[in-house]
Amino acid sequence: MEHSIHIFLHLVLFGIWIGSSLALLSLLIRLYRSPLQETPEPTQIQTLSYLQRIPKTTLILMLPMGLQLTSNLGFFTLDGVSMTGIWIFAIFWLAIDWLAAPSRASDTSKAIRMLEFVLQGTFIALLAGTGVLSLLSGTPLAAGWLAAKMIIFALTLVIMTSVDIVLMPLYQHTDSRPEYKKQSLFHAAVLIFVLTLLILMAAWLGFSNYRI
């Protein structure tokens, strides 16, 4: 696949990422401002559950695409076998993320959710560690802006994991108090707002330093 096509797909994913994050933020604010009943409308909860998955789905797909672009630009080298393995891992992670959605309450989903927490924790440590090490020593990534983007991606993953945790009581009905639901929605909205700022920061770093 040509480098220009990789760039196009990367930009499309970035647009979906920030667009879905803004849509999620808008829905969270709307639900927070509206009077909450003891049991929220099923359609609202279902819409929230689906919309909540899109930003994380986009991030998971952006990671292998970003690695492909950095390889194309010569920051490090990845052969075809390595990229195939990375894409297979991303698709596996994507399947786990949807099966472990907070809106799912089965025992199987809970077990998969624990697996995903471990997977995400490992990946967050890998991204953040690589970024910090590169900023301090110039290796494995010599470009400081690229190392900074690694740290930003780690932070976005932390935030999206936190949103899943914050909104879980809303889906599982572990606390039916309206004020508790409002609190969960408020915290999630703040996290998504910060996520949006981080996405814009990552976009600025890429735009100001990227060379086609």
Side-chain angles (χ1 to χ4, degrees):
M1 189 180 296
E2 294 184 2
H3 181 58
S4 58
I5 298 178
H6 290 151
I7 295 174
F8 173 75
L9 293 176
H10 185 72
L11 292 175
V12 169
L13 288 173
F14 229 116
I16 295 174
W17 192 17
I18 191 168
S20 60
S21 297
L22 289 172
L24 178 58
L25 177 60
S26 177
L27 179 58
L28 288 168
I29 293 174
R30 179 181 177 184
L31 291 176
Y32 175 76
R33 289 182 173 179
S34 63
L36 287 178
Q37 306 170 350
E38 287 297 319
T39 304
E41 294 183 12
T43 54
Q44 292 178 326
I45 295 298
Q46 187 177 34
T47 300
L48 180 63
S49 66
Y50 285 135
L51 188 56
Q52 185 184 343
R53 305 262 51 82
I54 298 177
K56 194 170 177 184
T57 294
T58 309
L59 173 61
I60 293 173
L61 294 176
M62 281 190 65
L63 291 172
M65 183 58 66
L67 289 174
Q68 180 66 67
L69 285 175
T70 53
S71 178
N72 292 349
L73 292 171
F75 289 106
F76 56 83
T77 303
L78 291 171
D79 56 26
V81 175
S82 298
M83 280 309 308
T84 299
I86 291 171
W87 274 106
I88 291 174
F89 172 78
I91 294 172
F92 172 72
W93 185 3
L94 192 60
I96 288 179
D97 183 65
W98 279 84
L99 291 173
S103 57
R104 297 176 179 268
S106 67
D107 291 337
T108 301
S109 295
K110 292 177 181 178
I112 296 176
R113 200 173 297 136
M114 291 302 299
L115 173 62
E116 188 184 24
F117 282 152
V118 174
L119 177 64
Q120 288 176 165
T122 303
F123 209 74
I124 288 169
L126 179 62
L127 288 174
T130 301
V132 171
L133 182 62
S134 297
L135 287 176
L136 294 177
S137 65
T139 182
L141 299 173
W145 67 272
L146 188 56
K149 283 190 72 172
M150 296 286 280
I151 296 174
I152 290 174
F153 282 151
L155 291 174
T156 59
L157 191 52
V158 169
I159 289 176
M160 285 185 280
T161 303
S162 300
V163 171
D164 284 347
I165 295 173
V166 167
L167 290 180
M168 194 173 298
L170 191 67
Y171 297 121
Q172 307 298 339
H173 307 294
T174 55
D175 195 321
S176 60
R177 292 175 298 173
E179 62 273 15
Y180 186 80
K181 296 172 184 176
K182 276 188 172 290
Q183 187 180 46
S184 296
L185 291 168
F186 176 78
H187 290 161
V190 171
L191 288 169
I192 295 299
F193 177 74
V194 175
L195 172 66
T196 304
L197 294 180
L198 288 174
I199 296 173
L200 292 174
M201 188 182 302
W204 179 82
L205 282 173
F207 179 78
S208 60
N209 294 278
Y210 199 73
R211 296 294 180 269
I212 297 177

